[in-house]
Amino acid sequence: MSESASNVVYLAIAVIDFVIAGWKCLALLRDRTPTLSLITVNFVSSGLVFAMAAPAGYRMLGELTGVPSFATLPVYIGILTCFSLLHLLTLLWDPQLRQRPAVLRRRVTVWSAVYLAAPAVMVVAFCSADLSGPIDPLRFNTDFAGEGPVQVFLAVFLATLACGTLSTYRQCRKLKPADPRFRHALRSFGTAMLFVFGYVVCSAPAIVLAAFGNHALDTVGVLGSTFGSIGALITSYGLSGAAVGAWLRERRDIKALQPLWDLVVEGVDEDLAFSVDSARSHRLAWNVGFNLHRRVIEILDGMRALRPWVSPLPAAAVRAAYEQQASHGTADARRPPEQEVQAVATAAALRDAVQRLQAARREATAPGHSGRPQPPEGPQVALPGEDTPAAGERQRLLRVAQALTDPLVATALQAVRTQRSATGVSEQP
């Protein structure tokens, strides 16, 4: 990889890491956990590493310190920091180790000691080396391989990196967490560790030959940085891919719930909304998790406010329509899932309740009336699915929102109007 290409690739990765680090910092403010702290520090460290490793940043740091090759020291220590954090993260995710706190503490302490001792030795060796002369930011390993202190510096760095990445790979292969987000991250970590180990495989023989004055493999050593960059990108995806997917699903669900919100919140009582911007919150990219939870709560509040106006007739009409479809179908006709029937029945009941409320409001504002709509007499009717556990409310409301435009809802509402007209019951309560 040439210097110009390295600048583009490294600085692009640095920007990506800093953006994700900022995102993780916001999440850390809301949920201060050790694992999220490690992830955030990892992205900050990775961003700094790639910013300094880019030839432009490398030379700039050399000019600022007066030591042209100085950037190699913080870059290599930063690399070890990133992968040591990932290794410790996989240990914290191990359910078997979490069940044995003493063993977990011992392993974390031992590996932490290794990851602290290696940089200390590297600093001493680097500061003892004669690093004068022209530099090539991409060829430090082979250009200075003849220096004894540099050989110690590189040996400690590559040995620690190899042990850390292989141990992390083994840990990732061993773990089988129940949480799909952790499984996603661990699969990505395992793949990333192999690419990073490819950097060691490319660099080690090039350094050994260069130490003996043979620079035939210098280009192979430079190629190793490509493997390291690929590994870093895969790691970033592993730490953020599942979160990005969840963010996109939350954005999609906010938009999907909008018609239901319009019906039971905006169409019932706008004071149920968290703020005047609630109707447009689906357009906000910031903190979509909060916006989605708020949207669900507002909809549930609107549905509770509609309960006095809910009639059992729409839900019964929906079930009757389904039974009629089944009776006219073939013997092997597919029966819709109960959740689907329940969602359509709920959608019909809500649309009917809103119509009854609006009709009562129109009547209440007529001359000679109190101006306040009076709900129907008699016991309140529960909406279908009101016994859904809290964890399932989001999916239930999504099904209801989708069912609002189902043809059976319109059919059921028409049947209810016909039934009320035939029995002499007015639409107004």
Side-chain angles (χ1 to χ4, degrees), residues 41-65:
V41 174
N42 174 79
F43 277 113
V44 173
S45 302
S46 180
L48 291 172
V49 164
F50 279 100
M52 293 185 293
Y58 191 99
R59 294 184 188 279
M60 183 182 299
L61 193 56
E63 292 176 1
L64 291 174
T65 60

Side-chain angles (χ1 to χ4, degrees), residues 51 96-97 137 140 142 155 181 192 219 227 305 318 331 361 363 384-385 391 405:
Q96 295 181 350
L97 288 179
F140 173 89
T142 52
R181 296 173 301 173
T219 303
F227 284 98
V318 167
R361 284 176 175 171
E363 181 181 359
T405 56

Side-chain angles (χ1 to χ4, degrees), residues 4 7-8 18 40 48 62 84 88 106 125 129 133 179 187 196 266 272 288 317 333-335 396 414 418 428:
S4 58
N7 277 324
V8 173
F18 284 135
T40 304
L48 291 172
S84 65
L88 296 178
R106 184 166 61 251
D179 193 319
R187 284 196 300 268
V196 176
E266 188 175 44
L272 294 169
V288 293
R334 184 184 68 87
R335 179 178 177 83
R396 173 202 169 207
Q414 181 60 45
T418 303
Q428 286 83 3

Side-chain angles (χ1 to χ4, degrees), residues 395-408:
Q395 293 304 318
R396 173 202 169 207
L397 295 182
L398 286 169
R399 289 191 295 268
V400 173
Q402 185 178 13
L404 288 175
T405 56
D406 191 294
L408 280 181

